[in-house]
Amino acid sequence: MNRSICITCGTQYALMENDPEGCTICREERQYVNPEGQEWTTLEKMQEGKQFQNQVIEEERGLYSITTAPSFGIGQTAYIVQQGGFNLLWDCIPYLDLQTSNRIIDLGGLDAIALSHPHYYSTQVEWAEAFNVPIYIHEDDQQWVMRDSELIHFWSGETLELASGLTIYRLGGHFKGGAVLHSESGNDGRGLLLTGDIIQVVADQEWVSFMYSYPNLIPLPANKVKEMADKVNPLKFNRIYNAFHKKVVTEADRAVQKSAERYIKALEGQLFHT
């Protein structure tokens, strides 16, 4: 009996005798199946091989990033957000070991886990059990949970305040329950927005973008992008941290609005000179 982990996306499945026939997450149009075929591992195998190591880095006061080297699965970054004595793990990565747990305990442990969308659920239950904390997932994405747990709480509505000044906003877009995290006190009171890839920082890091599928380059419609931008418009945040260690470093709240305007113009053919 194993809890299989998809090597392509890092999603962990429930305890079963054999590996699943295929990864539900990867076979959906927003992700992809490895052209070389479906492959599986387990967290125990990853730990025994001693190939992987997590790096916990202080990005700025009250914010730590966690990444795995060498990269595994999608290769996303998780974050520990500290605000008013409350420690939140935002998004998950597949690899967890004792060294990582001890480092997080040194930082004050965790009070909760919250996720932006299903591509980063990975081994979320392993993390929740290690720290005995709840997991918060929007109910719109309940169908994408591949390993159930009593620690998972499905929230509803458009916002969820986890602690004073630390609030999740459902934007949809990439997934119906796609969410971002706003920290009022982050960046020395100028505000932070952690977005997974619900809002994605692009190569020119003064801009962001929005997609239904990133690997398959499926765009979102103009009305959805406007809706997402409108939902975060009242928020103040100077920086965005996404799932791949890129950030908009100044006036990120304005960057989201100008990026949404540019995206909509592109869909309407207003940016092209042919």
Side-chain angles (χ1 to χ4, degrees), residues 180-223:
V180 298
L181 177 71
H182 182 238
S183 170
E184 289 183 5
S185 66
N187 196 221
D188 294 325
R190 291 184 289 268
L192 293 176
L193 195 69
L194 286 83
T195 62
D197 54 12
I198 303 303
I199 299 175
Q200 180 69 292
V201 181
V202 294
D204 182 346
Q205 294 185 27
E206 298 302 317
W207 296 81
V208 300
S209 196
F210 318 80
M211 294 288 278
Y212 180 73
S213 169
Y214 289 96
N216 300 320
L217 302 179
I218 306 174
L220 287 168
N223 64 330

